[in-house]
C-alpha cells in the first residue's frame, strides 16, 4: 500500500503537521457553529503524506476500538476517500463523531512515532476528513451483515457505548433494539456535547446509518420505570441486555447556597441548550437563565466544564470564568479545548475552590466565595492534591454558576434490578474484558461502569460488549 | 406519538385528557408522573397521572403557561408528540387508619388516584378539596364515590365552606376523628399551611412537589429540593416528601426562576393563538375589521 506515497521517509518526516482551519475566535464566540472547519482534500493529502506506514503501527494499539489507521491513511493517499471511510467503519461505527471528539493526543496520535521527534500525524483530522467526505457525497459504505441469528438484544441508552454496541451486534446478525429515555437519540452526543464541537446533524446522520443497517430505535422508554431489565429478558423476549445508560446523576459540591436560582449542574445547563435549544428561546420553548451581560462561573476543569463555559460565552455572558481547584497542568480537559476556550476569552481562575454560593434576598446567586489552594503531594490519581490556604477566602461576582465536577451512576436501572451488583458510587460492576455483570445475560459498559470518561472509551466498551454478547448468544455459555 | 382518546373541560382552563399509552398505563402507580412534549420545539413538562385504564392514562391539565395552554387546545383524535413515564416513586400506600387527602385546585387531580388507593388499602379516607371559586373545584363527584366524607372549601364561598382547606383540616385534627395520615397536593402556600396545621400534632404528612424539571430521570438535577436539610431530586427521589421536612421557600424561589421567560412565551403564544385577523367574525365579514381593532 505504501506505493501510494511518492516521498522517501526522510522527506515525510520533514513535512510540518497541517493546522486545522478554524473559525476566528472573535467570530465564533458569538455563534454556535462548529469551531473546527475541517481539512480540504489538498491539506488532507499533505498530512497523509507524513505517515511513515511503520510496521509497528502503534497508532492502532492506541485506538480503543482498533481502527486500522495506517490502512485508511494509505487509501487517503490514493485519493480513494470512500474506501478509507469504509476501512474505518469496519471498526468504528461513528467516524465523523470520533474524528471530532476523540482525545487523539492520548490515543493514536499519542503513540505515533512521528511524535517522538516532532508532531504526530494528525490522525483525527484525517478521520474527520474522510468521514465528512463520505457524508458529503452521500455514499456511506455500510458494512456487510451476517445472516440473521434469530437472537434479540436490547441496548439501554443511545449514547456512544450503546450505538457502538448496536452497530457491531446488528452486523453479527442479531436483532437489536436501542431504548432511549429522552425524546431524541444520541445520549451525551446530543444533550452533552455542544453544537460548536459536534454538530447535531452529524449525530443524526450516524444514527440514520445505524437504522439503515437494521438497528431499531425506541425513544421515550425509561428502563427501570417504563420497563425493567427482568421484563426485557422475560416477557419482552430479549436474549441479552446491554446497559449503557451513562453516568447521568450530577454531583454537586455540597456547599451552602447550591439551591440558589442561577446555580446549575453542567448536565442541566448543557441539556437546556444542546437538547432543548434554549439558546433559541422563544422560537424553542425551553428557557435558560438569560446570561447576557452577566458573570458566569463554571466550576471544574474537564471537557464538560470547557463545553459549559464556552456555551456561556455564546449565550452572551459578560465574563465566563473557569474556577478550578488545582492548576492548569492538572486539568483533565483536552489541551485543544483549553486553548479554544482561552482564545475565545474565557478566564481561568485556578487554585481556587468554591466554599459557598452567596445569594440576594430573592434567592438569586450574586457571588461565589472561594478559597485559595496550594498543591501538595500527589494523590491516588497521580495529580498533586490541592490543599486550602488558611484565611485566603475571597469572593468573585457571579449571577450564574455551573457545577461541572462529574457524575455518579444513574440509579434507575440498578434500583429495579436487585441482582445487579454495583459499587459504592452507584456504578455497575462489570468484567473489564467481557463486560458481563453479576446477572446472567446482562452486560454493562461505558460511563455507567467506569464513571465519566470519553466518547471513544465508551465506544470501545460497546465493541467489547458486542463481542462478548455475540459469544454468549452463540454458545449460551455464561 | 400518543393518540388522544378523550378530551374534555373539567373547569375553566382545566382539561382532562385520556391518552393511549399502553406501556405507561400498565406500569403506573398512584403518585407517579409523566413528562410531556407537545410539539417539535416544545419544552418537557411533568404532569402527574390522574388515572389509568388498560391501555390509556388520564392527565388533568391546568392551562397556566404556554405549553399547558397549547396542550389544552388539543382534542380527541389528535396526538401528543412525546409522553414518557411513569416517572418518580409511587405514593406509599399503607393502612394508616384515618387518612385525609387534601387537593387544592388541580392538585385534586393528582391526589385523586392516591386517595382511591388509600381507600382500597382499608383506610377511612376523608377528602378536603378547595379552589378559588365553585367552577375550579374538580372531581368532587368522583371523590364522593368512594370517600367516607368530602369537605369542600372555596375562597369566595360560592361552594362549600368559605375559606381555605386548612379550616376543615384544623377541625379534624382537633376533633375526635384525628387523622393518622395526611396527603396534601396543591399550590405551595397551601401545602406549607397544611404542614403547619399537622406539625404540632406529629401527624405524618406528605406533599407532592412540583419543581421545574427537564429530563425527569435524575440526569440534570434541576428539580433538586431540600428536605430535612438534604438535597433530593424530585424526579427520582420524589415527587412525594415529608411535608414537615420540606424547605418550601427554596422550592418557591426556584419555581420562579424562569418567570420572565414564561411570561414572554405566554404573551407571544396568546398573540399567535388569537391574532386579530384570525377572528372568525372579521374573516367572514372583513368590513367589520376596523371596528374589531378599535
Amino acid at each position: 500500500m505504501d506505493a501510494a506515497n511518492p516521498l522517501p521517509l526522510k522527506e515525510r518526516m520533514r513535512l510540518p503537521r497541517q493546522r486545522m482551519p478554524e473559525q476566528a475566535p472573535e467570530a465564533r464566540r458569538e455563534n454556535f457553529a462548529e469551531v473546527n472547519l475541517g481539512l480540504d482534500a489538498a491539506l488532507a493529502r499533505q498530512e497523509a503524506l507524513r505517515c511513515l506506514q511503520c510496521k509497528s503501527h502503534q497508532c492502532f494499539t492506541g485506538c480503543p476500538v482498533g481502527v486500522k489507521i495506517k490502512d485508511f491513511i494509505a487509501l487517503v493517499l490514493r485519493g480513494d476517500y470512500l474506501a478509507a471511510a469504509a476501512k474505518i467503519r469496519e471498526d468504528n461505527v461513528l467516524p465523523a463523531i470520533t474524528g471530532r471528539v476523540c482525545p487523539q493526543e492520548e490515543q493514536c496520535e499519542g503513540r505515533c512515532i512521528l511524535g517522538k521527534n516532532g508532531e504526530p500525524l494528525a490522525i483525527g483530522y484525517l478521520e474527520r476528513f474522510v468521514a465528512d467526505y463520505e457524508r458529503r457525497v452521500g455514499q456511506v459504505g455500510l458494512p456487510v451483515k451476517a445472516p440473521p441469528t434469530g437472537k434479540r438484544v436490547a441496548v439501554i441508552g443511545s449514547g456512544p457505548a450503546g450505538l457502538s454496541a448496536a452497530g457491531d451486534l446488528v452486523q453479527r446478525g442479531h436483532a437489536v433494539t436501542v431504548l432511549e429515555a429522552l425524546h431524541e437519540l444520541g445520549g451525551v452526543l446530543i444533550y452533552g456535547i455542544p453544537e460548536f464541537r459536534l454538530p447535531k446533524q452529524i449525530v443524526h446522520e450516524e444514527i440514520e446509518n445505524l437504522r439503515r443497517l437494521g438497528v431499531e430505535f425506541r425513544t421515550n422508554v425509561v428502563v427501570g420505570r417504563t420497563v425493567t431489565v427482568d421484563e426485557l429478558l422475560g416477557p419482552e423476549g430479549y436474549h441479552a441486555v446491554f446497559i449503557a445508560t451513562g453516568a447521568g446523576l450530577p454531583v454537586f459540591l455540597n456547599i451552602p447556597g447550591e439551591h440558589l436560582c442561577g446555580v446549575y449542574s453542567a448536565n442541566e445547563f448543557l441539556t437546556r441548550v444542546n437538547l432543548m435549544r434554549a439558546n433559541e428561546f422563544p422560537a424553542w420553548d425551553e428557557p435558560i437563565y438569560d446570561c447576557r451581560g452577566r458573570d458566569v462561573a463554571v466550576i471544574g476543569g474537564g471537557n464538560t466544564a470547557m463545553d459549559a463555559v464556552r456555551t456561556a460565552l455564546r449565550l452572551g455572558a459578560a465574563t465566563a470564568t473557569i474556577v478550578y481547584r488545582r492548576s492548569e497542568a492538572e486539568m483533565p480537559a483536552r489541551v485543544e479545548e483549553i486553548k479554544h476556550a482561552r482564545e475565545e476569552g474565557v478566564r481561568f481562575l485556578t487554585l481556587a475552590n468554591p466554599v459557598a454560593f452567596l445569594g440576594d434576598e430573592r434567592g438569586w446567586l450574586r457571588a461565589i466565595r472561594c478559597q485559595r489552594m496550594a498543591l501538595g503531594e500527589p494523590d491516588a490519581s497521580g495529580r498533586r492534591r490541592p490543599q486550602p490556604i488558611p484565611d485566603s477566602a475571597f469572593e468573585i461576582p457571579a449571577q450564574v454558576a455551573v457545577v461541572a465536577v462529574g457524575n455518579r451512576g444513574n440509579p434507575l436501572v440498578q434500583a429495579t434490578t436487585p441482582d445487579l451488583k454495583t459499587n459504592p458510587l452507584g456504578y455497575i460492576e462489570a468484567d473489564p474484558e467481557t463486560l458481563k455483570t453479576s446477572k446472567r445475560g446482562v452486560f454493562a459498559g461505558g460511563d455507567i461502569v467506569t464513571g465519566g470518561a470519553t466518547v471513544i472509551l465508551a465506544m470501545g466498551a460497546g465493541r467489547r460488549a458486542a463481542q462478548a454478547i455475540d459469544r454468549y448468544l452463540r454458545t449460551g455459555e455464561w | 406519538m400518543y393518540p388522544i382518546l378523550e378530551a374534555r373541560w373539567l373547569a375553566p382552563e382545566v382539561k382532562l385528557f385520556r391518552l393511549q399509552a399502553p406501556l405507561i398505563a400498565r406500569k403506573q402507580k398512584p403518585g407517579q408522573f409523566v413528562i410531556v412534549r407537545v410539539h417539535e420545539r416544545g419544552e418537557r413538562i411533568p404532569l402527574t397521572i390522574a388515572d389509568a385504564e388498560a391501555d390509556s392514562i388520564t392527565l388533568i391539565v391546568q392551562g397556566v403557561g404556554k405549553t399547558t395552554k397549547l396542550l389544552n387546545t388539543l382534542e380527541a383524535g389528535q396526538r401528543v408528540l412525546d409522553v414518557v413515564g411513569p416517572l418518580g416513586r409511587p405514593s406509599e400506600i399503607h393502612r394508616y387508619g384515618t387518612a385525609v387527602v387534601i387537593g387544592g385546585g388541580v392538585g385534586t387531580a393528582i391526589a385523586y388516584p392516591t386517595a382511591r388507593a388509600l381507600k382500597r388499602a382499608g383506610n377511612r379516607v376523608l377528602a378536603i378539596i378547595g379552589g378559588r371559586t365553585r367552577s375550579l373545584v374538580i372531581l368532587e363527584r368522583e371523590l364522593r364515590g368512594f370517600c367516607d366524607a368530602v369537605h369542600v372549601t372555596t375562597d369566595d364561598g360560592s361552594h362549600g365552606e368559605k375559606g381555605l382547606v386548612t379550616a376543615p383540616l384544623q377541625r379534624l385534627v382537633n376533633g375526635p376523628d384525628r387523622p393518622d395520615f395526611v396527603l396534601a397536593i396543591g399550590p405551595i402556600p397551601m401545602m406549607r399551611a397544611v404542614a403547619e396545621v399537622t406539625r404540632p400534632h406529629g401527624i405524618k404528612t406528605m406533599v407532592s412537589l412540583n419543581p421545574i424539571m427537564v429530563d425527569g430521570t435524575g440526569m440534570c438535577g434541576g428539580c433538586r429540593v431540600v428536605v430535612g436539610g438534604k438535597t433530593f431530586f424530585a424526579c427520582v427521589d420524589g415527587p412525594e416528601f415529608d411535608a414537615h421536612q420540606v424547605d418550601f421557600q427554596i422550592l418557591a424561589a426556584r419555581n420562579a426562576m424562569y418567570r420572565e421567560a414564561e411570561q414572554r412565551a405566554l404573551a407571544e403564544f396568546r398573540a399567535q393563538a388569537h391574532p386579530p385577523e384570525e377572528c372568525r367574525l372579521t374573516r367572514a365579514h372583513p368590513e367589520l375589521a376596523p371596528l374589531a381593532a378599535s
Side-chain angles (χ1 to χ4, degrees), chain A residues 45-62:
Chain A
R45 177 173 173 78
Q46 203 56 27
E47 182 62 28
L49 280 169
R50 300 177 66 225
C51 178
L52 302 180
Q53 290 287 318
C54 51
K55 284 218 166 59
S56 64
H57 70 131
Q58 289 293 317
C59 49
F60 165 78
T61 51

Side-chain angles (χ1 to χ4, degrees), chain A residues 74-86:
Chain A
L75 289 163
V76 172
L77 275 179
R78 286 190 186 177
D80 194 347
Y81 307 135
L82 289 178

Side-chain angles (χ1 to χ4, degrees), chain A residues 227-405:
Chain A
V227 65
T228 63
V229 169
D230 285 317
E231 287 165 343
L232 290 172
L233 289 170
E236 298 289 330
Y238 291 97
H239 301 96
V241 170
F242 177 49
I243 304 174
T245 46
L249 193 78
V251 171
F252 284 91
L253 296 164
N254 221 357
I255 61 175
E258 212 139 45
H259 306 281
L260 291 166
C261 296
V263 180
Y264 288 98
S265 74
N267 285 0
E268 182 183 359
F269 191 74
L270 290 170
T271 298
R272 282 182 179 272
V273 175
N274 299 337
L275 174 71
M276 306 305 296
R277 315 275 181 91
N279 54 309
E280 295 181 49
F281 179 87
W284 288 66
D285 288 344
E286 193 85 45
I288 192 161
Y289 182 47
D290 191 349
C291 293
R292 282 177 296 179
R294 299 207 155 93
D295 303 302
V296 181
V298 175
I299 295 126
N303 287 322
T304 305
M306 297 305 146
D307 285 344
V309 79
R310 295 171 70 199
T311 295
L313 274 181
R314 285 158 174 79
L315 291 172
T319 68
T321 307
I322 286 283
V323 180
Y324 184 56
R325 62 201 184 115
R326 307 187 202 232
S327 75
E328 195 175 313
E330 286 81 24
M331 280 190 185
R334 290 185 70 191
V335 174
E336 183 186 41
E337 304 308 325
I338 297 172
K339 172 176 155 279
H340 278 159
R342 179 165 280 126
E343 287 169 357
E344 290 166 11
V346 168
R347 302 175 186 188
F348 286 78
L349 177 59
T350 53
L351 294 168
N353 196 32
V355 291
F357 293 108
L358 308 174
D360 63 17
E361 66 290 339
R362 296 179 314 131
W364 284 84
L365 180 69
R366 61 168 182 83
I368 305 174
R369 181 176 298 134
C370 302
Q371 67 185 165
R372 303 244 177 242
M373 308 293 278
L375 292 180
E377 295 300 307
D379 64 11
S381 74
R383 297 178 299 175
R384 293 176 63 191
R385 185 192 303 273
Q387 283 161 339
I389 299 174
D391 304 322
S392 65
F394 64 102
E395 283 180 20
I396 58 167
Q399 298 82 52
V400 178
V402 181
V403 180
V405 297

Side-chain angles (χ1 to χ4, degrees), chain A residues 4 15 79 125 130 178 184 187 191 202 205 208 220 232 255 259 278 310 315 345 356 360 365 396 433 460 465:
Chain A
L15 292 175
Y125 297 176
V130 297
V178 177
E184 196 168 326
Y191 74 73
I202 290 172
E205 287 173 20
E208 196 49 40
N220 294 330
L232 290 172
I255 61 175
H259 306 281
R310 295 171 70 199
L315 291 172
D360 63 17
L365 180 69
I396 58 167
E433 274 314 305

